[in-house]
Amino acid sequence: QQQVKQSPQSLIVQKGGISIINCAYENTAFDYFPWYQQFPGKGPALLIAIRPDVSEKKEGRFTISFNKSAKQFSLHIMDSQPGDSATYFCAASPNYGGSQGNLIFGKGTKLSVKP
Amino acid sequence: GAVVSQHPSWVICKSGTSVKIECRSLDFQATTMFWYRQFPKQSLMLMATSNEGSKATYEQGVEKDKFLINHASLTLSTLTVTSAHPEDSSFYICSAPRTGQLLFGNGTRLTVT
């Protein structure tokens, strides 16, 4: 029930293409769904986040789509750039902002954007 | 701006020795900090919650006597890996809450030989 399942494990996209990463969860008590971007040797950085009362949130080239009934959410990166190459983690928490540290992370997706 | 600084960024130690990792909140105070562990190509797993002025709270399966946590001030938490073994080799990351989100440090790569 505490798991967050993320797919695919790795993804190769051409420059300018759309990158799509999917996550699924079981625990209906989760109230906050962030996506983090992590570069090698660095800590994760918050990219974008959504709450379950919203079906979509867009920030620049990054969009979260949220399907509450299916308990799934996904990250779309439009016009993918080589600089987007990183590992992306979805996460879920019963607390807004994950401020109590109890984020459940997916296993990550390594994105490579080819020039 | 508000940043979480972690030191050292990498450390190599011999089996049986202890290693201390520092986590500092810059330009903000953090009564609570969190320590995570990340194995290669794996996700982050919460190890413990560091509380300023009180004992740390450890997640199930994490040995509190092995991973000593001290929250010395409102801007500093330390994680000491005691009697380190090769299986303790990992990437350790701290985080602190700031204005409704978690800020993460850049992590510490620990290699135990």
Side-chain angles (χ1 to χ4, degrees):
Chain A
Q1 269 232 330
Q2 285 293 89
Q3 278 190 328
V4 176
K5 295 182 179 179
Q6 183 172 348
S7 62
Q9 193 172 16
S10 63
L11 181 62
I12 300 174
V13 174
Q14 289 294 126
K15 179 182 175 181
I18 302 174
S19 304
I20 302 174
I21 305 170
N22 301 298
C23 284
Y25 64 97
E26 290 292 328
N27 190 345
T28 55
F30 288 145
D31 191 49
Y32 174 73
F33 302 87
W35 285 90
Y36 289 87
Q37 179 188 58
Q38 185 179 30
F39 292 104
K42 302 293 185 183
L46 179 66
L47 195 60
I48 187 172
I50 199 168
R51 297 190 72 179
D53 53 348
V54 176
S55 62
E56 184 175 284
K57 183 174 182 180
K58 184 176 182 179
E59 289 184 3
R61 295 185 294 110
F62 302 93
T63 300
I64 299 179
S65 296
F66 188 85
N67 185 330
K68 187 174 181 178
S69 61
K71 291 187 278 188
Q72 296 175 345
F73 58 111
S74 60
L75 175 69
H76 292 63
I77 306 175
M78 312 299 286
D79 187 26
S80 299
Q81 299 296 313
D84 296 331
S85 298
T87 298
Y88 292 81
F89 291 93
C90 64
S93 172
N95 305 107
Y96 176 69
S99 57
Q100 295 188 25
N102 50 354
L103 285 165
I104 307 299
F105 286 88
K107 290 197 172 184
T109 296
K110 186 175 182 180
L111 172 65
S112 297
V113 181
K114 300 298 183 184
Chain B
V3 169
V4 173
S5 175
Q6 202 170 329
H7 178 80
S9 56
W10 59 270
V11 58
I12 301 172
C13 71
K14 292 188 176 182
S15 189
T17 61
S18 295
V19 174
K20 181 184 283 188
I21 303 170
E22 292 187 348
C23 180
R24 294 181 184 273
S25 58
L26 303 183
D27 291 337
F28 72 102
Q29 294 181 335
T31 56
T32 303
M33 292 184 178
F34 306 100
W35 289 94
Y36 298 82
R37 183 173 181 175
Q38 186 178 29
F39 290 104
K41 299 183 180 180
Q42 294 290 319
S43 188
L44 287 82
M45 299 295 290
L46 179 65
M47 297 176 63
T49 301
S50 174
N51 303 299
E52 192 271 334
S54 64
K55 290 183 179 181
T57 305
Y58 291 82
E59 296 300 304
Q60 192 173 12
V62 177
E63 299 176 61
K64 60 181 181 181
D65 293 330
K66 182 166 189 58
F67 299 99
L68 299 180
I69 291 173
N70 182 30
H71 203 128
S73 72
L74 288 171
T75 60
L76 174 64
S77 175
T78 60
L79 169 67
T80 302
V81 183
T82 63
S83 186
H85 289 100
E87 57 266 30
D88 298 325
S89 299
S90 191
F91 194 52
Y92 293 88
I93 307 175
C94 68
S95 72
R98 166 73 172 167
T99 58
Q101 65 170 277
L102 281 182
L103 297 180
F104 286 84
N106 275 332
T108 297
R109 172 73 60 193
L110 170 63
T111 301
V112 183
T113 61

